[in-house]
Amino acid sequence: MAIITLTSDWGNSDYYVAAVKGTILSQIPNATIVDISHEITPFNVRQAGFVLKNCFRDFPQGTIHIIGIDSIESTEKPHVVVKADGHYFIAADNGIFGQILTDFDEAVTIDVPQDTDSFNFATRDRFVKVAAMIANGAPLSEIGAPHKKLNGGLFCAVVRDNSIEGIVIHIDSYENLITNITQEMFERERCGRKFKILVKGNLYTIDKISDSYLDVDKADLVAIFGSHGNLELALNSAKLASLCGIELDSTIRVVFGEEDTPPTKNTLF
Amino acid sequence: MAIITLTSDWGNSDYYVAAVKGTILSQIPNATIVDISHEITPFNVRQAGFVLKNCFRDFPQGTIHIIGIDSIESTEKPHVVVKADGHYFIAADNGIFGQILTDFDEAVTIDVPQDTDSFNFATRDRFVKVAAMIANGAPLSEIGAPHKKLNGGLFCAVVRDNSIEGIVIHIDSYENLITNITQEMFERERCGRKFKILVKGNLYTIDKISDSYLDVDKADLVAIFGSHGNLELALNSAKLASLCGIELDSTIRVVFGEEDTPPTKNTLF
Amino acid sequence: MAIITLTSDWGNSDYYVAAVKGTILSQIPNATIVDISHEITPFNVRQAGFVLKNCFRDFPQGTIHIIGIDSIESTEKPHVVVKADGHYFIAADNGIFGQILTDFDEAVTIDVPQDTDSFNFATRDRFVKVAAMIANGAPLSEIGAPHKKLNGGLFCAVVRDNSIEGIVIHIDSYENLITNITQEMFERERCGRKFKILVKGNLYTIDKISDSYLDVDKADLVAIFGSHGNLELALNSAKLASLCGIELDSTIRVVFGEEDTPPTKNTLF
C-alpha cells in the first residue's frame, strides 16, 4: 500500500488538490493520500520545507512526498526525485531540499514525459505519474539520470562573531514564532556563555530557554526549542505575532557574552 | 480496520496534523484517519466539544477520537481515555467531556510513557501510542487506573426564574449562531408559555421557533433547533454574526411569560 | 471500493463535514472519501460547479460525487442523481449541472425517504443513503423516477457582435482570476481577428494569450487558457485580485476587431 503525501500552496478552495488526488486514485488505486498542508504561503519554499522537514520522518519508510510549490520546470529548477532516509520526494529542485534534508541517498532529474500539453500543472500531469512508477517498484534510474547536487542551503541563519542572526520562517496557529536558528547551531555558538534573544530590534529580550510554554507566567515571553529543533518564541496563552507586530521574515537575533547587566525583563506588559 | 478521528486547534498550515497522521500510519498501518476539524479557535475547549458532540455518533462503533486541544498534562488535567456509547476518546481531562457526553462507561488515567523527551506534543507522542493499543484490542485497564470523575459541566446555559441565559458557543461558516441553550432545556423551562429570544441586549428579538431557515423572508431573523439540538439563530441567506456584530461568547437570552405586547418584529432592516 | 467525493460551502471549522464522513463510513465501510473543497463561497453554486467540473474527470470511473451546497429540497430544486461520463453526482438540481456538464446519460429525482426528521442536513441524512445504494450496485431506477431536464445554463458568458462579456467565477489562492469565457467560445468568436481583453472597465488591457505565467515579466498581466479551459488572468508572481480590486462576479470583456492602435501596454506599474 503506497502512502502519498501532498504539500502545496494551492489553498483548499480550488480544484487543484482534488485534481491531484483523483489522478493519484486513478493511477494508484490503493494509495493512502495524506495532506501535509495546502496552506503554505504562495511561493514560500522555505516555509514548505520547514513544514515537511518536521513531519516526514513520522511517516512509514517508503512514503512518497509530492511537493507542489514553485514547481514550474526550468533549467535552474529541474524536476527531481530525491531518496533520503527511506523516503521519496518529488519536486522542482527550487531550494526546498536545503531546508528539508542535510543529506540524501539518491537523486535523479525526471525524464518522464507529461501526457498533457499544459505545463502549468506539473504536479498532476507529471509528479503523479512518477509517484505511480515508484509505487510500482521502478528504480530511480528508470525515471531519469542522476542529479548530482541539490539546490539549497540558502535559508540558514547567519553566524557572526558573538551572535546569530536568524529570521522567522513560520508562524503557527497559536501565533508562535519559529525561527531558522537550530538548537545545534545555538549550542555550538553559545559554548556555555550567557545569551540574550532579541525580538523587534531589542524591544523585547529573553535570556532563558524553557522546557515548556507553561514555564513562564501568562502572557510572558518564552523561548523553547520545539519538537522541530528550532528556536521558537511564544507568549504563554497569547498571540505573539500579532501582539508584537512580527511577520514572516522578521529578524530574530541571539547575542552571546558575559552578562554584566541585571537579568532582563521578559514581560511584555 | 481502525477509524481514528482528529480534533484540534492546530490549523492546517502547520506540520502538526501531518506529524500525527504519519505517526498513526506508522503505528496502525491500516487506519482510516478522519479530520473532525483543526480550525477550532485556539484553546476553545467548549467549541471543540460542541463540534465533536455533534458528529461522533455518526461514526461506526469502536471509532477512536483523538482530541489535541489544551492537551498539556497537569495534575488538574490528566491524560485520559474515556469509553462512551461504544466510542473511545483520548484527551486531556480539561472539561471537554462535560460538553461531549452526559454519561460514560469507563475511563482511565493514561499511564503509558512517552518515547520522546518533549512534553509539548503529547498528541503525537502519547495519544497515538494509546490509540494503537486500543486498536490492537488492549483493555483500558492495561492503559491506566480507573478515572472516576470527568471534569466538565461548566459550559451550560444558566436557568433563572423566567429566563435562560446562554452564550454563543459556535459560529458556523454561514455565520449562524449556535448557543448552549438546548431544546430539552428550552422546553422544560418554557412549560408552554410564550417566549422572546433576545440578541444583542434586546436590540433584536424573535418569538417563534421555525423548522427551516426558509420559513422566514430573506434577511429575516430565524430561530431553529438545529440537528445539534441547540438553539441556533440565523438570517435567511445572510450573515448574522458579522451583520449584527455578534461574537463567540456573546450573551443570548430567552425570556418566558404571558405576552401582552404585540408580536415583535424579527426584521433587521 | 467506492470512492466518494464531497463538495460544500460548510467550511472546515464545523461538524458538518465530519458528520457526513462518519455517516459514509458507517454505511459504506470500505469507502475512500476525498474532499473536493468545503471552502466554496456560501451558496455560490457557480463556483462549486467550476471547481467540480475541473477535477471530477481525474477520478476513476464510478466515483460518486456528493454536492452539499444549496441543497435544501424544493419543487424547483429537487434532489437528483445524475450519471454522466461514468461518474455519479448527488445534489439538488439548483443549476450546478449547467456548470459541470454539457451532457448526461441518466438522471433521476430521488425518491428515497430520510431517516431523520430534520430537513436541514439532507447531505448527511439522504445523499449518503443514496450513495450507499449506488455503491452497492443499485440501478438509478431504484432510486427514483427519470428526471428529464437539468436546470442550468445560466452561467455562460454573453456573446455580442464583436465582443464577449464574461465574469470572474473564481479567484484562486494565487489571486488569479478565472472567468466563464471558455477557449472554445473565444476561438469561435475570434475567427482569427486581433483582440483586447479589458479588465476593470478598460483600465487594464492585454492583447495576447500566453502559454505560461512565466511568459511575461514579473508583475505583468498575463492571460492564459488554464488547464480548466477557461480564460484566466494573472500577474506573474503577484496578486491580481487584491492589487487591482477585482472580486467574484467582476466583468471581464474581450473585444475583437482590426487593431489600428499600437500594441497596448500590459504593465500595471
Side-chain angles (χ1 to χ4, degrees), chain C:
Chain C
M1 189 193 67
I3 299 174
I4 317 273
T5 82
L6 302 177
T7 306
S8 81
D9 57 356
W10 302 331
N12 288 300
S13 61
D14 261 299
Y15 67 90
Y16 306 133
V17 175
V20 171
K21 291 184 178 173
T23 306
I24 292 172
L25 291 173
S26 291
Q27 297 188 19
I28 319 170
N30 66 346
T32 294
I33 305 170
V34 180
D35 297 308
I36 304 291
S37 174
H38 300 290
E39 295 182 2
I40 302 297
T41 306
F43 303 104
N44 196 323
V45 167
R46 188 162 51 205
Q47 190 184 29
F50 169 79
V51 167
L52 196 49
K53 180 185 92 171
N54 283 295
C55 62
F56 86 81
R57 285 187 185 80
D58 292 320
F59 286 84
Q61 292 278 308
T63 296
I64 301 166
H65 304 278
I66 292 179
I67 305 170
I69 185 165
D70 189 22
S71 61
I72 294 183
E73 191 180 25
S74 66
T75 316
E76 297 75 31
K77 301 176 183 176
H79 288 165
V80 296
V81 179
V82 177
K83 189 174 180 197
D85 278 355
H87 291 256
Y88 296 91
F89 300 86
I90 307 174
D93 184 18
N94 53 23
I96 195 166
F97 291 106
Q99 195 70 4
I100 303 175
L101 302 172
T102 50
D103 209 353
F104 65 96
D105 299 322
E106 194 180 352
V108 296
T109 311
I110 297 176
D111 187 24
V112 172
Q114 277 193 195
D115 300 328
T116 61
D117 287 338
S118 165
F119 289 93
N120 290 318
F121 202 174
T123 310
R124 180 191 62 188
D125 297 337
R126 197 180 209 197
F127 291 179
V128 172
K129 200 176 171 184
V130 170
M133 294 174 71
I134 297 171
N136 290 326
L140 295 199
S141 58
E142 219 170 83
I143 293 166
H147 185 73
K148 295 285 163 53
K149 191 177 172 325
L150 293 170
N151 290 317
L154 301 168
F155 303 138
C156 294
V158 177
V159 174
R160 303 192 193 285
D161 264 1
N162 289 303
S163 68
I164 302 174
E165 189 157 307
I167 61 168
V168 175
I169 57 170
H170 188 63
I171 297 174
D172 76 8
S173 65
Y174 308 100
E175 299 201 12
N176 300 345
L177 311 179
I178 292 123
T179 72
N180 61 346
I181 300 170
T182 64
Q183 183 162 19
E184 184 272 332
M185 174 186 284
F186 175 84
E187 294 299 349
R188 191 181 60 217
E189 299 302 320
R190 182 188 181 184
C191 302
R193 292 182 288 178
K194 289 180 178 174
F195 64 90
K196 270 192 208 172
I197 301 165
L198 308 179
V199 183
K200 274 289 239 201
N202 51 12
L203 196 53
Y204 310 118
T205 67
I206 179 167
D207 57 6
K208 185 171 174 301
I209 302 289
S210 299
D211 288 326
S212 156
Y213 305 122
L214 305 185
D215 283 1
V216 301
D217 289 338
K218 282 226 169 185
D220 273 5
L221 194 59
V222 58
I224 67 166
F225 285 104
S227 56
H228 40 71
N230 287 29
L231 180 65
E232 177 173 342
L233 301 170
L235 296 177
N236 180 359
S237 307
K239 297 182 170 184
L240 177 54
S242 58
L243 274 173
C244 298
I246 299 168
E247 299 180 337
L248 276 186
D249 296 331
S250 293
T251 301
I252 304 291
R253 287 205 307 143
V254 184
V255 180
F256 301 103
E258 282 315 310
E259 187 89 320
D260 57 359
T261 53
T264 55
K265 196 154 162 296
N266 68 342
T267 304
L268 278 181
F269 308 106

Side-chain angles (χ1 to χ4, degrees), chain B residues 1 3 32 34 36-37 39 50-51 54-55 58-60 170 172-174 211-212 214 224 227-228, chain C residues 9-16 18-19 21-23 25-26 29 39 42-43 72 118 120-121 124:
Chain B
M1 189 194 68
I3 298 174
T32 295
V34 180
I36 303 292
S37 175
E39 295 183 2
F50 170 78
V51 167
N54 284 294
C55 62
D58 292 319
F59 286 85
H170 188 62
D172 75 10
S173 63
Y174 309 100
D211 288 325
S212 157
L214 305 185
I224 67 167
S227 56
H228 40 70
Chain C
D9 57 356
W10 302 331
N12 288 300
S13 61
D14 261 299
Y15 67 90
Y16 306 133
K21 291 184 178 173
T23 306
L25 291 173
S26 291
E39 295 182 2
F43 303 104
I72 294 183
S118 165
N120 290 318
F121 202 174
R124 180 191 62 188

